[in-house]
Amino acid sequence: MSLKTVCVPVASFSALQLVFVAVWLSFCSGCVSRNESDVVVYSALDEDFAAPILAAFERSTENEVGVIGKFDIESTKTVGLANQLIAEANAPRCDLFWNNEIMHTVRLQKLGILEPHDWQVPSTWPQDMVASDGTWCGFAARARVLLVNTDMLPDADARPNRVNELADPKWTQNCAMARPLFGTTATHFAVLRDIMGREKTLELLQSIHSNAVVLSGNKQVAQAVSSGKVAWGLTDTDDAIIEKDLGYPVEIIYPDQQPEQPGTLRIPNTLAILKDAPHPVAAGKLADFLMTPEIEDRLAMGRSSQLPISKESKFPPAVLPSEPVRWMRVDFEAAAEDWDAWAKTLADLFAN
């Protein structure tokens, strides 16, 4: 059985035709097979990256377990998938949620629609990468980094090295950040709110809003830097490494590395099994397959150059610097508190 992600309408069929269509639909991503050998995955990770790995899981079971994958292509796909899971909570269609960040996974955890799982990770796994109740586990992260145009800033000592420099008047309209309403930028400032406090974080965001160029997403920030529209910006490692690999004059800086600074934030992929999932056994098998050093290495070797969490990983991604990185200590569950009210405050601040 191969991974399928296609769906067709079933109107205007005869009774016999409907039988054949029903069988065919069991292979489609938007429809849920009730076959206990299938596992339904909602994935916010791009299909190009996730589908080959899900197909490898099928092969590992000698095709006894099939994967039905649902992928969303919208820019706000994580929010869309999370909202769909909330809407389906009383009658779940999804077995396993593969999120490419974490905040909305924690949102689902707090709503009580995730099922605890015995995650097969070592005791050395970072505490901020495992849910306190075992409902999710993080792996294969992206880092929040500064991307600098080296033609515009040839002097390494003059380059920014802190996130809060987005608010520094010396960089007015010459630095960029994504609007912090979705994805990793929203997660980043929710984490800072937990660390710095609500009022200080809002003050920082207001200053950034006045000082920096605010764009629609991290990809657009990276492209603005590589094209020379701004000297530098805050983005993710997967978007930054693409511009560097394309040969643009850019350099990646891991920010806030001094002892008195908070460190660089890394935001993991997360896996979570849905409460009352139709196929919990298959979902657990797939979760265990994905939560391995081998899968982290596959993601590290890919174009997104994701950062393995496991110390057993054998492939350091190209995006990592030669020197060790000081990672920010994070409580993602605390950062997700009062999410809806916080999100509305930011939406009002960044409305234009």
Side-chain angles (χ1 to χ4, degrees):
M1 183 186 302
S2 60
L3 180 66
K4 301 292 182 181
T5 61
V6 184
C7 224
V8 295
V10 292
S12 304
F13 283 93
S14 69
L16 182 59
Q17 287 173 318
L18 284 172
V19 171
F20 288 105
V21 170
V23 173
W24 191 83
L25 283 175
S26 70
F27 296 92
C28 299
S29 67
C31 311
V32 177
S33 167
R34 309 310 292 183
N35 187 329
E36 287 302 324
S37 66
D38 288 337
V39 56
V40 179
V41 179
Y42 287 9
S43 174
L45 185 69
D46 289 347
E47 184 173 0
D48 288 350
F49 300 133
I53 293 173
L54 296 176
F57 168 73
E58 288 184 326
R59 293 192 298 272
S60 75
T61 70
E62 297 183 350
N63 294 325
E64 291 184 2
V65 179
V67 178
I68 300 171
K70 176 180 175 60
F71 302 90
D72 199 324
I73 60 173
E74 298 298 325
S75 60
T76 57
K77 58 189 173 183
T78 300
V79 179
L81 289 172
N83 287 341
Q84 183 167 350
L85 290 169
I86 293 169
E88 296 171 354
N90 292 329
R93 295 182 173 187
C94 174
D95 297 302
L96 183 72
F97 182 36
W98 183 348
N99 196 359
N100 67 341
E101 53 99 47
I102 189 169
M103 198 54 63
H104 287 284
T105 304
V106 177
R107 179 183 171 206
L108 300 178
Q109 173 196 9
K110 290 180 179 293
L111 291 172
I113 64 176
L114 303 181
E115 184 71 21
H117 180 66
D118 181 17
W119 300 101
Q120 302 299 302
V121 295
S123 59
T124 55
W125 208 256
Q127 289 186 354
D128 60 356
M129 297 290 170
V130 185
S132 60
D133 59 0
T135 52
W136 54 262
C137 192
F139 71 117
R142 289 173 289 171
R144 298 285 292 163
V145 294
L146 310 182
L147 187 67
V148 173
N149 186 303
T150 55
D151 282 351
M152 298 178 71
L153 296 173
D155 182 359
D157 292 334
R159 295 170 188 167
N161 57 31
R162 299 202 66 183
V163 168
N164 65 10
E165 289 188 62
L166 287 162
D168 191 329
K170 76 177 182 180
W171 301 114
T172 298
Q173 298 303 298
N174 204 22
C175 60
M177 183 187 81
R179 190 171 286 107
L181 307 182
F182 308 104
T184 55
T185 310
T187 298
H188 195 157
F189 284 93
V191 168
L192 291 180
R193 180 191 61 157
D194 181 54
I195 294 172
M196 298 168 51
R198 185 179 187 277
E199 294 309 315
K200 286 187 177 180
T201 305
L202 278 178
E203 288 176 9
L204 174 61
L205 282 167
Q206 287 166 345
S207 297
I208 292 173
H209 182 261
S210 301
N211 193 65
V213 176
V214 178
L215 299 173
S216 59
N218 293 306
K219 178 180 179 180
Q220 287 72 25
V221 170
Q223 290 175 336
V225 174
S226 65
S227 64
K229 292 179 180 178
V230 294
W232 67 278
L234 175 66
T235 187
D236 293 334
T237 43
D238 59 334
D239 293 306
I241 194 67
I242 288 173
E243 302 307 306
K244 189 168 185 177
D245 286 346
L246 287 172
Y248 288 107
V250 294
E251 194 64 46
I252 297 169
I253 296 174
Y254 284 72
D256 297 297
Q257 291 297 291
Q258 296 305 309
E260 71 280 5
Q261 297 170 354
T264 296
L265 176 63
R266 58 180 174 180
I267 299 178
N269 283 259
T270 53
L271 297 175
I273 298 172
L274 275 294
K275 187 177 181 180
D276 300 323
H279 316 108
V281 175
K285 289 181 179 178
L286 177 55
D288 293 342
F289 174 86
L290 295 173
M291 195 62 64
T292 60
E294 291 76 18
I295 296 304
E296 287 202 302
D297 278 342
R298 285 190 64 159
L299 292 168
M301 288 185 284
R303 286 184 293 112
S304 61
S305 195
Q306 301 204 34
L307 312 173
I309 305 299
S310 174
K311 294 181 179 179
E312 297 178 17
S313 171
K314 298 178 180 178
F315 190 90
V319 76
L320 271 179
S322 56
E323 64 276 8
V325 177
R326 286 184 61 249
W327 300 116
M328 186 185 296
R329 293 186 178 182
V330 181
D331 184 342
F332 288 111
E333 293 177 31
E337 288 291 339
D338 199 27
W339 173 264
D340 291 338
W342 174 249
K344 184 180 184 307
T345 298
L346 296 194
D348 292 340
L349 176 59
F350 286 85
N352 49 49

